[in-house]
């Protein structure tokens, strides 16, 4: 080995080009996380436009056509631009450090998979300024609304989705190869931290379903521009086929957005309970079962399209089964907390809120699986409340928990605990004020995706809008805390948290630009 | 003639409606069973977390235990949820079977979703007795745009409601003209997607007279939020009276087609029809919302040859939101609205078309 200039003494390039040409997993992780935050704010502004319009009955702020563009873009940006890149960013930062690898397996591809994203979203967002407006058919873009009746910008949306898909697939390949080939010698699969496990499974889900999404948007492209009739009844096609293909992608997609969150929470709870995760192995098996089940339940999004009874029953039973492995996870987290020695720093607060609020979202999901009841819930605000509970205090809270948890390792500085806790409580209160009343307006009969509503829904909508503004503006505090931490603060120790386990905590804080050029040898504590 | 009941609205505050059919009550009971089970599960799980968070905190001097993995416990928390799920699945299965058991119907109504209104056809073996009408939002624009006080049934009121008799099995044959809509009346627990190219079946037997309201439940474009459903359930006698009146009205309309209409008559009727059927897209001032909904003022087909103008109104334009109104409006309404468009907003072409001519075109006459 060359000893005079050890590889890990090379620092980053100088100037802005560092970020353009970087192949360093930490730089790319940072890029992904900032990009995700930018998209989170962009999608958030759209959410606030939606909530402003819905503050009271009547049309005040936006016309219905703009409203539909806002709901569509909000969904697309939050799913593909905010949540997914946030988890890829965490994967980039953490997986090599957690498995004792020097970097991702394919660093140049890593750079490429990130840099596609700004162009993909540039394409998508530019449609807001085009004649005919942005896509306005919901993030689920059901045909024929999106094909025969879509605005001209639909084509830009399709290319945008293609680019996001390429980015995701390349990112997943990179993650799988890194995990399978670059683990430190002696680290067996069952010694990997759960975050690595959940991402391994998520990456396989992505590789399996992103091509399906690419397929369905390509069929749309053909229907729009080349006179095919995949989804047009007039030409012998089938609009319901669109929904089957879309949800064959769409259901695994929702697990893509939650499995890494499970990994994050499974790292944080043991740390602050100062106690090992109760059932590591059963968590691995539960995650795999959820991933498997995600492929065979897609039509539960389509109970009202007129599926024969045998199909309805099958999809109902299969969907209900998901409650079993999900329950195993929740029980494991509770059992980990039980008889621990807990402290409640900001990451722990977000993780506990995750468990509680994700479980509420899971239970409303169980209610939605009951077909006869779903006929009443379907396409109402009850569904909106359900998926926002699993996505916002679910996925998004887990990302925030992760940022607070690993930020000292990334920056070398502790964040301001008092501000962090303030951010937590504002977010926690805001999110519940926003989404809890939506269960009621949904049960009372308010359909989703409407710009104006009957008077009986007025009170709940007003409360919901107030909560949304509280939650939205609290995120500026989050931004402030992050910048403040990057710029300085109390120096973090190597281990940062008293109860933290895992290889990343054996590295100095901040983690040097290159880590584990020599694989670590002590792996006993690798998964905590 | 109809009961002005809004009792169904009263318990709409925070929970699902119990509705007014055997099925809707079953669905409500099912919803409550699952809801209560979920609440119990929530209390147990969150209760354990709360106890742990209070007792097992470092600030109280708690020392972490070292236990982990317990096969018996893990079996237990796998098996108990499975048992709970089976308990939920049994009533759900039987309710679903009841819902799918269509049986012989007394009345068949075709429900057709059209951007952004519903067309109801009371099917009859004798075509002359078939009643067909379009039911669209009747809330005035002034209320929507906050220039007038909103009435009690803001956005859930229509110009012409569906009327059905109580205690009869009514079958809905649900389909769509353009995009996917969903026909939903919560009080009947009926929600079915209206999909172009498909005819889906649903049914109900209502046991209480009243007015039941619902909305389109599938995003169907710009005015998705403005296509409500209003069903009046009445006694069988009242239903027969209503049906006879509708059939008679249809006959009268048919007769008006033959008569010669004056320009003023056409303009007056045309303005009403335009407001109901055209203004949502092309706007009251005819200027539309370009480029999606083109302007009719001083440009395009409305000031071009009358044959082409008539053709697009009757047959729509494929691939756009412009629908085929030939099946939605009667010949008199069609002639009136075409005449109106050619002479309103300063278009002043001065020409007009007679309902009899429209009828000729619709029945296959050469243009």
């Amino acid at each position: 080995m060359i000893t005079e200039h050890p590889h890990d003494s090379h620092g980053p390039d100088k100037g802005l080009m560092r970020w353009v040409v970087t192949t360093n997993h930490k730089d790319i992780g940072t890029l992904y996380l900032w990009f995700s935050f930018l998209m989170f704010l962009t999608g958030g502004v759209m959410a606030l436009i939606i909530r402003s319009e819905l503050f009271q009955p009547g049309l005040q702020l936006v016309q219905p056509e703009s409203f539909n563009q806002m709901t569509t873009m909000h969904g697309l940006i939050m799913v593909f631009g905010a949540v997914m890149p946030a988890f890829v960013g965490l994967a980039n930062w953490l997986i090599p450090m957690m498995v004792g690898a020097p970097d991702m397996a394919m660093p140049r591809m890593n750079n490429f998979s990130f840099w596609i994203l700004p162009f993909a979203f540039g394409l998508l967002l530019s449609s807001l300024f085009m004649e005919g407006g942005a896509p306005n058919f919901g993030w689920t873009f059901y045909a024929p609304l999106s094909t025969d009746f879509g605005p001209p910008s639909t084509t830009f949306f399709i290319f945008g989705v293609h680019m996001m898909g390429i980015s995701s697939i390349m990112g997943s390949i990179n993650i799988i190869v890194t995990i399978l080939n670059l683990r430190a010698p002696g680290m067996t699969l069952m010694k990997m931290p759960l975050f690595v496990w959940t991402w391994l499974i998520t990456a396989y889900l992505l590789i399996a379903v992103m091509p399906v999404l690419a397929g369905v948007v390509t069929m749309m492209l053909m229907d729009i521009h080349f006179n095919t009739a995949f989804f047009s009844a007039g030409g012998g096609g089938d609009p319901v086929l669109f929904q089957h293909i879309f949800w064959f992608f769409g259901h695994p997609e929702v697990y893509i957005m939650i499995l890494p969150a499970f990994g994050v929470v499974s790292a944080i709870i043991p740390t602050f309970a100062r106690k090992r995760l109760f059932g590591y192995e059963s968590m691995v098996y539960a995650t795999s079962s959820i991933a498997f089940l995600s492929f065979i339940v897609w039509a539960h999004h389509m109970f009202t399209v007129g599926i024969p009874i045998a199909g309805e029953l099958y999809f109902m039973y299969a969907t209900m089964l998901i409650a079993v492995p999900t329950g195993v996870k929740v029980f494991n987290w509770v059992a980990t907390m039980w008889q621990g020695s807990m402290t409640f720093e900001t990451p722990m607060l977000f993780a506990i809120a995750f468990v509680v609020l994700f479980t509420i979202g899971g239970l409303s999901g169980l209610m939605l699986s009951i077909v006869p009841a779903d006929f009443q819930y379907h396409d109402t605000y009850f569904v909106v409340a359900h998926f926002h509970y699993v996505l916002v205090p679910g996925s998004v809270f887990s990302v925030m928990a992760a940022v607070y948890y690993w930020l000292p390792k990334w920056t070398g500085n502790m964040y301001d605990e008092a501000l962090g806790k303030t951010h937590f409580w504002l977010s926690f209160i805001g999110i519940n004020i926003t989404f809890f009343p939506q269960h009621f307006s949904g049960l009372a009969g308010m359909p989703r995706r409407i710009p104006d509503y009957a008077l009986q829904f007025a009170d709940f909508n007003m409360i919901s809008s107030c909560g949304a503004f509280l939650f939205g503006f609290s995120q500026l505090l989050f931004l402030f805390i992050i910048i403040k931490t990057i710029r300085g603060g109390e120096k973090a120790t190597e281990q940062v948290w008293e109860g933290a386990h895992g290889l990343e905590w054996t590295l100095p804080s901040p983690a040097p630009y290159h880590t584990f050029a020599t694989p670590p040898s002590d792996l006993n504590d690798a998964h905590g | 003639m109809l009961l002005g009941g809004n009792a169904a609205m009263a318990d709409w505050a925070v929970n699902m409606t119990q509705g007014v059919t055997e099925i809707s009550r079953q669905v409500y009971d099912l919803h409550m069973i699952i809801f209560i089970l979920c609440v119990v599960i929530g209390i147990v799980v969150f209760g354990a977390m709360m106890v742990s968070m209070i007792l097992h905190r470092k600030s109280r001097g708690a020392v972490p235990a070292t236990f982990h993995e317990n096969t018996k416990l893990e079996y237990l928390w796998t098996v108990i949820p499975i048992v709970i799920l089976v308990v939920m699945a049994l009533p759900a299965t039987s309710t679903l079977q009841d819902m799918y058991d269509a049986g012989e119907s007394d009345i068949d109504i075709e429900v057709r979703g059209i951007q952004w209104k519903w067309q109801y056809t009371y099917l009859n073996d004798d075509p002359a007795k078939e009643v067909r009408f379009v039911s669209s939002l009747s809330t005035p624009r002034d209320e929507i745009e906050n220039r007038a006080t909103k009435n009690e049934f803001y956005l859930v009121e229509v110009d012409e409601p569906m009327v059905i008799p109580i205690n009869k099995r009514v079958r809905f044959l649900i389909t769509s003209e353009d995009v996917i809509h969903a026909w939903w009346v919560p009080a009947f627990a009926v929600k079915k997607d209206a999909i172009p190219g498909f005819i889906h079946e649903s049914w109900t037997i209502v046991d209480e007279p009243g007015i039941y309201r619902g909305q389109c439940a599938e995003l169907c474009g710009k005015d998705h939020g403005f296509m409500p459903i209003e069903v009046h359930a009445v006694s069988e006698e009242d239903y027969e009276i209503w049906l006879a009146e509708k059939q008679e009205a249809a006959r009268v309309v048919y007769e008006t087609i033959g008569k010669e209409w004056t320009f003023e008559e056409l303009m007056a009727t045309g303005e009403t029809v335009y407001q109901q059927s055209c203004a949502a897209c092309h706007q009251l001032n005819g200027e539309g919302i370009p480029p999606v909904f083109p302007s009719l003022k001083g440009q395009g087909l409305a000031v071009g040859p009358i044959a082409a103008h008539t053709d697009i109104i009757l047959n729509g334009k494929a691939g756009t939101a412009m629908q085929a109104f030939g099946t939605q409006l009667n010949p008199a309404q069609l002639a009136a609205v075409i005449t109106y468009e050619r002479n309103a907003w300063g278009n002043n072409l001065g020409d007009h078309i007679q309902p009899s001519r429209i009828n000729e075109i619709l029945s296959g006459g050469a243009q």
Side-chain angles (χ1 to χ4, degrees), chain A residues 156-315:
Chain A
F156 284 81
F157 151 80
I158 291 174
F159 287 142
V161 168
H162 271 137
M163 286 163 74
M164 292 165 209
I166 292 169
S167 161
S168 289
I169 291 170
M170 291 200 303
S172 321
I173 291 173
N174 215 344
I175 286 168
I176 291 174
V177 177
T178 305
I179 296 174
L180 294 185
N181 293 313
L182 293 191
R183 276 170 291 135
M187 178 176 276
T188 59
L189 287 176
M190 288 315 251
K191 277 188 182 168
M192 298 193 310
L194 262 174
F195 179 74
V196 181
W197 255 116
T198 52
W199 242 117
L200 179 65
I201 293 164
T202 302
Y204 275 109
L205 288 183
L206 275 166
I207 290 187
V209 301
M210 289 317 272
V212 178
L213 177 66
V216 76
V217 294
T218 308
M219 288 157 91
M220 277 174 64
L221 187 74
M222 302 288 282
D223 272 10
I224 293 170
H225 293 291
F226 302 101
N227 290 327
T228 55
F230 291 109
F231 306 130
S232 152
D238 180 352
V240 180
L241 173 68
F242 173 89
Q243 297 184 28
H244 281 293
I245 307 178
F246 177 81
W247 286 113
F248 188 85
F249 146 79
H251 200 73
E253 168 67 23
V254 303
Y255 291 97
I256 287 164
M257 292 189 284
I258 201 68
L259 295 185
F262 292 165
V264 167
V265 170
S266 303
I268 291 174
I269 289 181
T271 296
F272 295 96
R274 295 170 179 74
K275 186 160 157 281
R276 284 182 66 175
L277 189 65
F278 179 78
Y280 171 84
E281 285 186 28
S282 60
M283 286 296 238
V284 172
Y285 300 138
T287 311
S288 315
S289 315
I290 294 172
F292 169 74
L293 288 171
S294 76
F295 284 106
I296 59 167
V297 296
W298 74 89
H300 69 212
H301 296 270
M302 312 162 46
F303 281 147
T304 62
V305 301
I307 295 170
I309 187 164
E312 302 268 59
L313 288 174
Y314 160 73
F315 282 108

Side-chain angles (χ1 to χ4, degrees), chain A residues 29 31-45 73-90 114 117 121 124-125 164 168 199 253 256-257 391-392 395-400 403 471 478:
Chain A
L31 284 171
Y32 265 111
L33 288 168
W34 277 116
F35 177 78
S36 147
F37 194 73
L38 184 66
M39 287 294 120
F40 181 60
L41 294 183
T42 312
V45 167
M73 296 296 268
H74 164 74
L76 291 168
I77 284 173
M78 288 304 198
V79 168
F80 295 103
V83 175
M84 290 170 70
F87 284 125
V88 181
L90 292 175
F114 170 76
L117 282 183
F121 284 90
L124 186 64
L125 285 167
M164 292 165 209
S168 289
W199 242 117
E253 168 67 23
I256 287 164
M257 292 189 284
L391 275 173
V392 188
S395 306
V396 172
F397 269 25
S398 85
V399 173
M400 290 174 180
V403 168
F471 178 75
F478 187 38

